[in-house]
Amino acid sequence: MEEIKKEKAMQIVGGGTDISGAILNALAGCIETIFGIGQAVGSAIRRIRSGSLCKF
């Protein structure tokens, strides 16, 4: 196997710039989680303001 010199390694371009399916899936999961939390908080605020809470 041939050793790559530092100068030659600095000339290599590419790799690491592709957006993979795993990254997109993780990003979509984060957005869905934030959206779900927003829905829950919004519903809680609406129920508190309208006075339609369950009695414990």
Side-chain angles (χ1 to χ4, degrees):
M1 196 158 90
E2 178 181 338
E3 184 178 333
I4 299 176
K5 300 208 185 297
K6 184 178 179 183
E7 292 81 25
K8 187 134 183 150
M10 297 295 280
Q11 294 175 352
I12 297 173
V13 178
T17 59
D18 295 333
I19 297 176
S20 68
I23 293 173
L24 290 176
N25 195 17
L27 184 61
C30 289
I31 291 171
E32 286 179 17
T33 301
I34 292 169
F35 183 73
I37 291 170
Q39 278 185 323
V41 170
S43 293
I45 291 171
R46 181 183 50 81
R47 290 178 61 211
I48 289 170
R49 291 182 106 188
S50 67
S52 60
L53 295 173
C54 298
K55 305 289 183 212
F56 286 112

